Amino acid sequence: MGKKVLIVGGVAGGASAAARLRRLDESAEIIMFERGEYVSFANCGLPYYVGEVIAERKKLLVQTPENFKARFNIDVRVNSEVTRIFPDKKQVEVREKDGRTYIETYDYLILSPGASPVRPPIPGIEAENIFTVRTIPDVDRIKDFIEKAKPKRAVVVGGGFIGLEMAENLHARGIKTTIVEMLDQVLAPLDFEMAAIVHGHIRAAGVDLVLKDGVKAFINENNLTKEVELQSGRRIPADLVVLAIGVKPEVKLAKEAGLEIGERGGIRVNEKLQTSDPYIFAIGDAIEVKDFVTGQYTLIPLAGPANKQGRIVADIIAGRDAKYEGTQGTAIVKIFDCVAASTGANEKTLKRLGIPHAVSFTHPGSHAGYYPGSTAMSIKLIFDPETGKVLGAQIVGKEGVDKRIDVIASAIRRGDTVFDLQELELAYAPPFSSAKDPVNMAGYVAGNIITGDMPVIQWHEIENLDRQNTVILDVRTKAEYELGHIEGSVNIPVDELRTRLSEIPRDKEIVVYCQVGLRAYIATRILMQNGYKVKNLSGGWKTYKAAMDEKKKINDPEKESTMEHENHTSDSKDKTDIMVNGNIVKIDARGLQCPGPIVQVFQTMKTLKEGTVIEVAATDPGFLNDIRSWCETTGNELLKTEKRADAYIAYIRKGAKSEVIDNSFSSCCAPELPARSADEKTMVVFSGDLDKAIAAFIIANGAASTGKPVTMFFTFWGLNILRKDQYVPVKKGLLERMFGMMMPRGSKNLPLSKMNMLGIGPRMIRMVMRKKNISSLEELIEQARRLGVRMVACNMSMDVMGIKREELIDGVEIGGVATFLNSAEKSNMTLFI
């Protein structure tokens, strides 16, 4: 006679234990009790069934009692609740749906009761249109209510995984949805600055987000909630409410049996998942587990760990040596067009426990940037500052988040360091990754922090700096700086840094930043090797801005509420208001990369009368921020922005152009450096490489699109960019003809600075640019002409290179050093390319 094993609860842990035990022991008698109707279902798929992403209800059913009996010879008893345990007798009491009770004996008992949704004692919480999401009957009730009542507005209480998934799926059903979260962020496993990125995606999708505010009461009529009253006094209309506040372990049965309950409220188990009674095991959401990273007891209600625990218990009962090493909380969630994932410990937990740690931020692409479709992701890596051991990671992005978090989760499980991440050999091809995978890059950056090659400062430390003894140095381009920067920062582009070191005081600490951290790292190395005390802002402007913008929204909720109202007003009302003062001119800039959309706006604006409104559609993710900064710079009025399914939309009213004041070197907190009040932009184009020429004209056109005078001074090899493509019969000497034969004739024949590959490289780059709808060099040159960019060919260089005026394209001036110096005198930006 084999062992008799009773299992209380199915779904993930219990069903997994039953199936594994049968595979190991054909003689065991296995009985599984489930108080509900469904023994094994995909509870993680429930929100998607509400949103009709999963159309068929039967797909949620993983196993039925009949299937368990047929395949595994397991006796599954649904609608049967285990009400009492008698450990001394090895018995349980079972109550069936009709009220009949009976006693069942066991050799081993496995408890997998799960957890129940939290329903706090809030006034009005018993209304008929307030729901939880835990079981199939729960979502049946929600779907039935939506079909019959046709709710227009929903409030989701709680910003955890289930809350966000429900908000997305209710929104997909056309229901105006508001998320209410008592904390200052959604997704508690993430740290604030990473959650801030998610907040932006939620709002951009048209879902209202209320943070740091809890529910005070549900205002009901006829037992239906009509409004949700918050602690702040704000009232939100609601036709449907979903409670996603969290879950609590189901421990009543274990507690009444005298089993040990831990400090966090879960059933306490050892590494073999035994309770305080060695013949009773517990698994799943009901137990306290050891945190794999911190070693502390915690509650982590996830399906993956529950399945693994069920398998381990089955192994032990079958006589195999097995133990559970702990849970690291690896999790992932999709929120509209964004994916957020985490593994290991977050920074909040490590701070609370006093565990030493260091942090790095990186913002790599999901795959090679030159291959179409690459999207940015943000990676936060947390590690031991001495050994480099990886303690945790968080990733927010779109494509490729899942595989990167899985790689790092594997590294944590093995006890790897950031230096091990550097050495991982991960699959690479342009559609899937980069030669240095984002995981490798995170390891490199963290390694530089540990070795001291790149001292860092975090975003939240900036506001506490002693500004009298600190210089904040922005090493991005001038155009990037003007689109937004840290208040009081000084702008010196990284490529000018070596020639302008004299402008930076040596008796102050230098905090360097760029867009994401890479250029600032280069600047850090330059400055450190020149004797400066330097720190690099980890994650750069991108991390800093996302976090600081979110703090401002939370600290000024009334303003945020007004902004949300303005951003999400109905299209018909907005367009009516806008058209009062003029007709709408539409610009389709979809598919164009930065600065393409801004350039189109600028060119169109020049042809319009003051007061005219334009509607711009763009697919560049940075467009909405860029257009806001552009309007502030040029004195035009940004009326409204919105995100549609296929594009970002901005409405702009043409206004009188205001004077732009360059304040990059003026601040009460900034060091006293030479004042620059000129408004022109000057570029010296020395290189004749295709990639550098493209970069030069992109920067020039971006500056010109803000109304700034731009002069491009072409010298030596840069003159080849201006040559005509066709042969021009002009009189030349022998050396001049030899030079002309060796040099590329015109922009279409320029080589790449790297990977020219006997001329194949330029063709590949041009092909990729066409696929991504990026303007070619020839189109950029023509665009520069239309924008009024002044192109000057150096007369002396023309003589040396044997290039004649007749060989140059139309619209090019001939000038010398005096022409360049005159332009540079008026300029607040001079680039050498």
Side-chain angles (χ1 to χ4, degrees):
M1 185 71 178
K3 306 179 187 76
K4 184 175 182 180
V5 181
L6 305 184
I7 303 173
V8 179
V11 193
S16 178
R20 173 67 172 173
L21 183 57
R22 173 58 73 221
R23 291 195 296 270
L24 297 179
D25 187 350
E26 186 66 22
S27 67
E29 181 183 0
I30 306 171
I31 305 173
M32 183 158 52
F33 301 97
E34 173 57 51
R35 65 184 172 190
E37 183 180 350
Y38 305 96
V39 67
S40 181
F41 62 92
N43 53 359
C44 295
L46 298 180
Y48 300 100
Y49 177 57
V50 172
E52 299 186 327
V53 176
I54 299 173
E56 298 180 44
R57 183 176 182 274
K58 64 182 181 182
K59 289 187 176 180
L60 296 173
L61 304 176
V62 180
Q63 289 285 354
T64 64
E66 294 75 21
N67 290 341
F68 265 113
K69 183 65 176 177
R71 177 162 296 183
F72 298 108
N73 190 28
I74 293 172
D75 181 2
V76 177
R77 303 176 187 179
V78 296
N79 297 315
S80 299
E81 181 180 5
V82 175
T83 53
R84 294 179 68 186
I85 303 171
F86 306 100
D88 54 336
K89 300 178 182 179
K90 288 190 176 182
Q91 294 177 344
V92 299
E93 179 185 79
V94 183
R95 182 174 62 221
E96 296 182 328
K97 190 176 182 179
D98 60 6
R100 186 178 74 88
T101 64
Y102 63 92
I103 298 295
E104 196 72 63
T105 62
Y106 65 83
D107 294 315
Y108 294 101
L109 175 64
I110 302 174
L111 300 179
S112 180
S116 59
V118 174
R119 291 183 69 98
I122 300 173
I125 199 169
E126 299 305 324
E128 295 176 4
N129 58 342
I130 298 178
F131 303 94
T132 57
V133 184
R134 189 68 180 176
T135 65
I136 286 181
D138 287 340
V139 295
D140 285 342
R141 286 190 287 270
I142 295 173
K143 288 203 70 173
D144 184 60
F145 181 82
I146 291 174
E147 295 301 323
K148 292 179 179 177
K150 301 289 190 294
K152 291 184 170 60
R153 298 160 300 188
V155 172
V156 176
V157 184
F161 292 93
I162 295 296
L164 297 188
E165 288 170 345
M166 282 301 301
E168 177 181 358
N169 283 281
L170 290 171
H171 179 75
R173 295 289 300 265
I175 302 171
K176 176 64 179 173
T177 304
T178 299
I179 300 170
V180 176
E181 170 56 57
M182 188 176 292
L183 300 177
D184 61 357
Q185 65 166 86
V186 300
L187 297 177
L190 300 185
D191 290 312
F192 177 81
E193 68 281 351
M194 299 299 286
I197 304 171
V198 178
H199 296 171
H201 285 274
I202 292 171
R203 296 188 182 99
V207 171
D208 291 341
L209 180 60
V210 180
L211 299 170
K212 289 187 74 173
D213 208 349
V215 176
K216 181 179 181 181
F218 297 102
I219 310 303
N220 301 339
E221 291 181 14
N222 300 321
N223 205 28
L224 290 174
T225 291
K226 297 298 182 182
E227 288 184 316
V228 178
E229 183 180 2
L230 304 185
Q231 297 291 343
S232 63
R234 177 180 174 182
R235 290 193 174 192
I236 304 173
D239 305 312
L240 179 154
V241 176
V242 174
L243 295 178
I245 301 170
V247 295
K248 60 182 179 180
E250 289 272 17
V251 297
K252 181 175 182 290
L253 191 62
K255 193 173 184 179
E256 290 178 350
L259 302 180
E260 183 182 357
I261 306 299
E263 294 178 1
R264 303 297 299 274
I267 302 170
R268 179 63 61 87
V269 295
N270 60 19
E271 63 181 11
K272 292 187 176 295
L273 298 166
Q274 292 168 306
T275 66
S276 51
D277 184 313
Y279 296 97
I280 302 177
F281 297 82
I283 57 178
D285 297 354
I287 69 171
E288 287 188 359
V289 295
K290 279 284 187 74
D291 186 296
F292 184 79
V293 174
T294 68
Q296 303 290 313
Y297 278 105
T298 186
L299 298 170
I300 303 180
L302 293 172
N307 275 281
K308 294 177 183 65
Q309 291 158 12
R311 180 184 177 92
I312 289 170
V313 166
D315 283 359
I316 293 170
I317 292 175
R320 297 193 175 190
D321 186 21
K323 64 179 181 179
Y324 189 64
E325 300 284 358
T327 302
Q328 62 195 74
T330 305
I332 190 167
V333 62
K334 172 189 168 297
I335 312 111
F336 300 101
D337 59 351
C338 160
V339 178
S342 64
T343 186
N346 57 31
E347 194 175 6
K348 292 175 290 192
T349 300
L350 295 173
K351 284 181 177 178
R352 177 172 54 82
L353 298 175
I355 297 175
H357 62 279
V359 170
S360 71
F361 293 93
T362 50
H363 301 281
S366 57
H367 60 250
Y370 58 82
Y371 187 89
S374 178
T375 58
M377 65 177 73
S378 298
I379 301 178
K380 179 176 184 177
L381 190 65
I382 309 173
F383 50 94
D384 186 292
E386 297 295 329
T387 66
K389 183 178 179 180
V390 182
L391 303 176
Q394 298 158 39
I395 309 179
V396 178
K398 189 174 182 182
E399 302 291 337
V401 171
D402 52 347
K403 67 177 180 179
R404 273 59 186 234
I405 204 69
D406 285 344
V407 169
I408 299 175
S410 301
I412 291 175
R413 182 61 60 163
R414 291 194 309 268
D416 284 354
T417 70
V418 299
F419 303 104
D420 294 316
L421 297 185
Q422 297 175 8
E423 299 301 322
L424 290 176
E425 187 174 330
L426 303 172
Y428 160 61
F432 306 105
S433 184
S434 300
K436 293 178 182 176
D437 188 85
V439 173
N440 298 136
M441 290 304 303
Y444 288 131
V445 172
N448 286 337
I449 294 172
I450 293 173
T451 59
D453 290 338
M454 189 182 69
V456 293
I457 186 171
Q458 301 301 334
W459 66 269
H460 55 83
E461 297 176 301
I462 295 295
E463 60 185 345
N464 296 322
L465 285 173
D466 177 4
R467 293 298 187 96
Q468 298 300 319
N469 295 298
T470 308
V471 175
I472 301 179
L473 181 62
D474 186 323
V475 296
R476 299 174 298 163
T477 65
K478 185 64 179 175
E480 289 175 288
Y481 180 85
E482 289 181 347
L483 287 173
H485 55 267
I486 297 176
E487 184 179 354
S489 61
V490 172
N491 179 224
I492 300 179
V494 65
D495 294 335
E496 300 177 23
L497 190 57
R498 289 184 180 88
T499 61
R500 295 176 63 180
L501 289 176
S502 61
E503 300 177 28
I504 304 173
R506 293 182 176 275
D507 60 342
K508 297 184 179 182
E509 182 174 67
I510 314 300
V511 172
V512 186
Y513 76 96
C514 63
Q515 191 68 19
V516 298
L518 177 57
R519 284 171 289 176
Y521 167 55
I522 296 168
T524 297
R525 298 304 303 150
I526 293 171
L527 291 169
M528 287 180 69
Q529 293 176 81
N530 278 277
Y532 289 89
K533 183 180 178 182
V534 191
K535 287 183 179 177
N536 182 358
L537 175 58
S538 186
W541 172 250
K542 187 170 184 176
T543 295
Y544 176 87
K545 186 177 188 300
M548 294 304 293
D549 283 355
E550 194 59 32
K551 283 187 68 175
K552 290 176 184 176
K553 288 183 176 73
I554 293 170
N555 292 334
D556 193 356
E558 290 187 7
K559 181 179 179 181
E560 173 62 15
S561 176
T562 302
M563 289 174 63
E564 286 180 1
H565 175 75
E566 291 172 354
N567 285 339
H568 302 306
T569 318
S570 68
D571 284 349
S572 59
K573 180 180 185 300
D574 284 335
K575 290 189 177 181
T576 301
D577 291 345
I578 290 169
M579 292 184 67
V580 168
N581 294 319
N583 296 323
I584 293 181
V585 176
K586 294 190 176 184
I587 298 176
D588 187 354
R590 288 174 291 190
L592 294 181
Q593 301 288 338
C594 175
I598 300 293
V599 169
Q600 281 209 9
V601 171
F602 176 73
Q603 289 174 332
T604 304
M605 280 291 194
K606 290 196 298 185
T607 67
L608 301 178
K609 295 180 181 179
E610 189 172 328
T612 305
V613 173
I614 64 172
E615 175 189 326
V616 193
T619 49
D620 176 18
F623 171 68
L624 294 185
N625 282 332
D626 286 350
I627 196 66
R628 185 174 290 108
S629 299
W630 183 85
C631 288
E632 291 174 359
T633 301
T634 58
N636 295 291
E637 183 183 3
L638 181 61
L639 299 169
K640 174 178 177 286
T641 62
E642 63 186 24
K643 185 181 183 301
R644 295 180 187 166
D646 63 338
Y648 301 92
I649 310 297
Y651 295 92
I652 307 155
R653 180 179 289 119
K654 182 174 181 177
K657 184 180 181 302
S658 60
E659 182 182 358
V660 180
I661 300 173
D662 174 55
N663 61 357
S664 58
F665 288 92
S666 61
S667 171
C668 60
C669 299
E672 293 184 5
L673 296 177
R676 292 170 176 257
S677 59
D679 210 23
E680 294 190 16
K681 316 293 177 187
T682 304
M683 303 172 65
V684 179
V685 184
F686 176 87
S687 173
D689 296 325
L690 173 62
D691 44 337
K692 295 177 182 176
I694 292 170
F697 275 95
I698 287 175
I699 295 170
N701 291 345
S705 68
T706 64
K708 306 291 192 303
V710 179
T711 298
M712 302 180 74
F713 191 79
F714 294 83
T715 183
F716 285 97
W717 311 112
L719 291 169
N720 292 310
I721 302 169
L722 303 180
R723 294 179 71 189
K724 294 177 179 176
D725 299 321
Q726 306 82 17
Y727 170 75
V728 178
V730 290
K731 187 176 180 179
K732 289 187 178 183
L734 178 62
L735 288 176
E736 291 175 334
R737 289 189 182 279
M738 290 178 65
F739 260 111
M741 291 172 63
M742 291 186 291
M743 293 188 302
R745 182 182 289 121
S747 61
K748 293 181 180 178
N749 298 299
L750 299 179
L752 285 179
S753 60
K754 306 286 185 186
M755 299 188 300
N756 193 51
M757 296 183 290
L758 299 177
I760 299 175
R763 290 197 292 273
M764 291 173 63
I765 287 292
R766 287 179 179 273
M767 180 181 68
V768 171
M769 291 173 69
R770 281 196 301 273
K771 285 185 177 180
K772 297 194 75 171
N773 203 20
I774 300 173
S775 300
S776 66
L777 176 56
E778 293 69 41
E779 290 169 334
L780 290 169
I781 292 172
E782 181 57 34
Q783 196 177 77
R785 282 174 171 158
R786 294 195 302 269
L787 289 170
V789 173
R790 186 186 183 198
M791 290 180 277
V792 181
C794 175
N795 187 51
M796 180 273 293
S797 297
M798 289 174 64
D799 287 342
V800 172
M801 310 296 285
I803 296 175
K804 304 299 183 182
R805 178 189 290 268
E806 293 86 347
E807 295 181 272
L808 301 181
I809 61 177
D810 295 335
V812 176
E813 301 178 34
I814 308 297
V817 174
T819 304
F820 163 70
L821 292 176
N822 182 55
S823 177
E825 284 282 336
K826 303 173 184 176
S827 177
N828 62 4
M829 182 189 81
T830 301
L831 296 180
F832 190 92
I833 299 177

